[in-house]
DNA sequence: CTGTATCCTGTGAGATACTG
DNA sequence: CAGTATCTCACAGGATACAG
């Protein structure tokens, strides 16, 4: 199925749906982390630099709900919870990896393109504090 | 390069950066549309169902800035502007397609997982308004 | 340790109106 | 037709405090 099918809402919605998960950087991080094996909550939190407890919890819940991540509670004291990828989660790892590779391969090109673009438009574009053209 | 490298900030940032573009559904749509050939502004607007003029403009600007999309102005009356993919944009199409395929293939599984999850948690837990912004 | 509830802020994004 | 500017609202997400 090609990308051209916006009118075909079924696929379009599927993609949007998945994109909402993929596009979330924390989800991607979590899937990446867990691809190396199961981890506990705080292990994840430590390894994923910059994630807040709240976001990690929400991310994990969403991933779990979508059937991508498993959550195993060990009713001990202190409590222990381990997260891992489901089979579905593992298959998702592949397209994500493709994207990761693409990013690594082309990030520089993008940066360069941005610089070029900005340079190109610095001449054309006017300063930010310009409201009306009243007097000047 | 594996996904495991959050500590390795270079790749991590590259990924985040790219993800910010990929994660945006309009960007994905535009790239998808343009993969079939160049289109004019309003052609895009019509074909991408639900996009506002504003968002389409912003999306196109970002894609152009990132070197993924070309913008060609024909100084006619009425004005005509055509958008197309750059080579870089085309290469991006491939991982995106992989994701698209994954979505198509696994969307049902995800839907099912969600239903299962919701059912599983309706018994255990019974909070109707799960979002904090709900009742206020 | 593993979460949930709350507050607060910035930003994303639609609607609308105007310009060239 | 193509695009910019502005207003507005909702929501994502960080910080924090509390609970099991």
């Amino acid at each position: 199925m090609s990308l051209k099918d916006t009118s075909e809402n079924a696929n379009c919605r599927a993609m949007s749906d998945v994109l909402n998960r993929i596009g979330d950087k924390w989800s991607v991080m979590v899937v990446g982390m867990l691809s190396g094996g199961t981890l506990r909550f705080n292990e994840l939190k430590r390894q994923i630099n910059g994630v807040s407890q709240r976001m990690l919890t929400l991310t994990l819940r969403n991933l779990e709900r979508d059937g991508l991540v498993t959550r195993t509670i060990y009713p001990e004291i202190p409590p222990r919870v381990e997260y891992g990828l489901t089979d579905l989660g593992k298959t998702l790892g592949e397209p994500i990896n493709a994207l990761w590779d693409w990013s690594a391969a082309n990030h520089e090109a993008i940066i360069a393109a941005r610089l070029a673009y900005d340079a190109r438009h610095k001449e054309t574009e006017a300063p930010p504090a310009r409201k009306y053209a009243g007097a000047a």
Side-chain angles (χ1 to χ4, degrees), chain A residues 5-36:
Chain A
D5 250 331
T6 321
S7 37
E8 258 306 320
N9 256 13
N11 271 303
C12 186
R13 287 192 46 193
M15 187 58 169
S16 289
D17 211 7
V18 173
L19 236 31
N20 278 328
R21 191 98 311 126
I22 306 304
D24 174 19
K25 73 171 174 176
W26 298 133
S27 294
V28 175
M29 290 298 167
V30 168
V31 171
M33 290 299 144
L34 293 181
S35 71

Coordinates of all heavy atoms in Angstrom, one line a residue, chain A residues 5-36:
Chain A
D5 N -2.5 7.5 0.0 CA -3.9 7.3 0.2 C -4.5 8.0 1.3 O -5.0 7.4 2.3 CB -4.1 5.8 0.4 CG -4.9 5.2 -0.8 OD1 -5.6 5.9 -1.4 OD2 -4.7 4.0 -1.1
T6 N -4.5 9.3 1.3 CA -5.1 10.0 2.3 C -6.6 9.9 2.3 O -7.3 9.8 3.3 CB -4.8 11.5 2.3 OG1 -3.5 11.7 1.9 CG2 -5.1 12.2 3.6
S7 N -7.1 9.8 1.1 CA -8.6 9.6 0.9 C -9.0 8.3 1.5 O -10.0 8.2 2.1 CB -8.9 9.7 -0.6 OG -7.9 9.0 -1.3
E8 N -8.1 7.3 1.3 CA -8.4 6.0 2.0 C -8.1 6.2 3.5 O -7.0 6.0 4.0 CB -7.4 5.0 1.4 CG -8.0 4.0 0.4 CD -9.3 3.4 1.0 OE1 -9.3 3.0 2.1 OE2 -10.2 3.2 0.2
N9 N -9.2 6.5 4.2 CA -9.0 6.8 5.6 C -8.5 5.7 6.5 O -7.9 5.9 7.5 CB -10.3 7.4 6.2 CG -10.2 8.9 6.3 OD1 -9.2 9.5 5.7 ND2 -11.0 9.5 7.0
A10 N -8.8 4.5 6.1 CA -8.4 3.4 6.9 C -6.9 3.4 7.2 O -6.5 3.4 8.3 CB -8.8 2.0 6.3
N11 N -6.1 3.3 6.2 CA -4.7 3.3 6.3 C -4.2 4.6 6.9 O -3.2 4.6 7.7 CB -4.0 3.1 5.0 CG -3.8 1.6 4.7 OD1 -3.2 0.9 5.5 ND2 -4.4 1.2 3.6
C12 N -4.8 5.7 6.5 CA -4.4 6.9 7.0 C -4.5 7.0 8.5 O -3.6 7.4 9.2 CB -5.2 8.0 6.4 SG -4.7 9.7 6.8
R13 N -5.6 6.5 9.0 CA -5.8 6.5 10.4 C -4.9 5.6 11.2 O -4.4 5.9 12.3 CB -7.2 6.2 10.8 CG -8.2 7.3 10.4 CD -9.5 7.1 11.0 NE -9.4 6.7 12.4 CZ -10.4 6.2 13.1 NH1 -11.6 6.0 12.5 NH2 -10.3 5.8 14.4
A14 N -4.6 4.4 10.6 CA -3.7 3.5 11.1 C -2.3 4.2 11.3 O -1.7 4.1 12.4 CB -3.6 2.3 10.3
M15 N -1.9 4.8 10.3 CA -0.6 5.5 10.3 C -0.6 6.6 11.3 O 0.4 6.6 12.1 CB -0.3 6.1 8.9 CG 1.1 6.6 8.7 SD 2.4 5.4 9.0 CE 3.8 6.3 8.4
S16 N -1.6 7.4 11.4 CA -1.7 8.5 12.4 C -1.6 7.9 13.7 O -0.8 8.4 14.6 CB -3.0 9.2 12.2 OG -3.0 10.0 11.1
D17 N -2.3 6.8 13.9 CA -2.3 6.2 15.2 C -1.0 5.7 15.6 O -0.5 6.0 16.7 CB -3.3 5.0 15.1 CG -4.0 4.7 16.4 OD1 -3.9 5.5 17.3 OD2 -4.6 3.6 16.5
V18 N -0.3 5.0 14.8 CA 1.0 4.5 15.0 C 2.0 5.7 15.2 O 2.9 5.7 16.1 CB 1.5 3.5 13.9 CG1 2.9 3.2 14.1 CG2 0.6 2.3 13.9
L19 N 1.8 6.6 14.4 CA 2.7 7.8 14.4 C 2.6 8.5 15.8 O 3.6 9.0 16.3 CB 2.3 8.8 13.3 CG 3.3 9.2 12.3 CD1 4.3 8.1 12.1 CD2 2.7 9.6 11.0
N20 N 1.5 8.5 16.3 CA 1.3 9.1 17.6 C 2.2 8.5 18.7 O 2.6 9.1 19.7 CB -0.1 9.1 18.1 CG -0.9 10.3 17.4 OD1 -0.3 11.3 17.2 ND2 -2.2 10.0 17.1
R21 N 2.4 7.2 18.4 CA 3.3 6.5 19.4 C 4.7 6.7 19.0 O 5.6 6.9 19.8 CB 2.9 5.0 19.4 CG 3.5 4.2 20.5 CD 2.6 4.0 21.7 NE 2.0 5.3 22.1 CZ 0.7 5.5 22.3 NH1 -0.1 4.5 22.0 NH2 0.2 6.6 22.6
I22 N 5.0 6.5 17.7 CA 6.4 6.6 17.2 C 6.9 8.0 17.3 O 8.1 8.2 17.7 CB 6.5 6.2 15.7 CG1 5.8 4.8 15.5 CG2 7.9 6.2 15.2 CD1 6.4 3.8 16.3
G23 N 6.1 8.9 17.1 CA 6.5 10.3 17.1 C 6.9 10.8 18.5 O 7.6 11.7 18.6
D24 N 6.4 10.0 19.4 CA 6.8 10.4 20.8 C 8.2 9.9 21.2 O 8.4 8.7 21.2 CB 5.7 9.7 21.8 CG 6.1 10.0 23.2 OD1 6.9 10.8 23.5 OD2 5.6 9.2 24.1
K25 N 9.1 10.8 21.4 CA 10.4 10.4 21.6 C 10.6 9.5 22.8 O 11.4 8.6 22.7 CB 11.4 11.6 21.7 CG 11.3 12.4 23.0 CD 12.4 13.4 23.1 CE 12.3 14.3 24.3 NZ 13.4 15.2 24.4
W26 N 9.8 9.6 23.8 CA 10.0 8.8 25.0 C 9.6 7.3 24.6 O 10.3 6.4 25.0 CB 9.2 9.2 26.2 CG 9.6 10.6 26.7 CD1 8.7 11.6 26.9 CD2 10.9 11.1 26.9 NE1 9.4 12.7 27.4 CE2 10.7 12.4 27.4 CE3 12.1 10.6 26.9 CZ2 11.8 13.2 27.7 CZ3 13.2 11.3 27.2 CH2 13.0 12.6 27.7
S27 N 8.6 7.2 23.8 CA 8.2 5.8 23.4 C 9.4 5.2 22.7 O 9.7 4.0 22.9 CB 7.0 5.9 22.6 OG 5.9 6.3 23.3
V28 N 9.9 5.9 21.8 CA 11.0 5.4 21.0 C 12.2 5.0 21.9 O 12.8 3.9 21.7 CB 11.5 6.4 19.9 CG1 12.7 5.9 19.2 CG2 10.4 6.7 18.9
M29 N 12.5 5.9 22.8 CA 13.6 5.6 23.8 C 13.3 4.3 24.5 O 14.2 3.4 24.7 CB 13.7 6.7 24.7 CG 14.2 8.0 24.1 SD 15.9 7.8 23.5 CE 16.1 9.3 22.5
V30 N 12.1 4.2 25.0 CA 11.7 3.1 25.9 C 11.9 1.8 25.0 O 12.5 0.8 25.5 CB 10.3 3.2 26.4 CG1 9.8 1.9 27.0 CG2 10.3 4.3 27.5
V31 N 11.3 1.8 23.8 CA 11.4 0.6 23.0 C 12.9 0.3 22.7 O 13.3 -0.9 22.8 CB 10.7 0.8 21.7 CG1 11.0 -0.3 20.7 CG2 9.2 0.9 21.9
G32 N 13.7 1.3 22.5 CA 15.1 1.1 22.3 C 15.8 0.5 23.5 O 16.5 -0.5 23.3
M33 N 15.5 1.0 24.6 CA 16.1 0.5 25.9 C 15.7 -0.9 26.1 O 16.5 -1.8 26.4 CB 15.6 1.4 27.0 CG 16.2 2.7 27.1 SD 18.0 2.7 27.2 CE 18.3 4.2 26.2
L34 N 14.4 -1.2 25.9 CA 13.9 -2.5 26.2 C 14.3 -3.6 25.2 O 14.3 -4.8 25.5 CB 12.4 -2.5 26.4 CG 11.9 -1.7 27.6 CD1 10.4 -1.7 27.7 CD2 12.5 -2.2 28.9
S35 N 14.8 -3.1 24.1 CA 15.2 -4.0 23.1 C 16.5 -4.8 23.5 O 16.8 -5.8 23.0 CB 15.5 -3.3 21.7 OG 16.7 -2.5 21.9
G36 N 17.1 -4.2 24.6 CA 18.3 -4.9 25.1 C 17.9 -5.9 26.2 O 18.8 -6.5 26.8

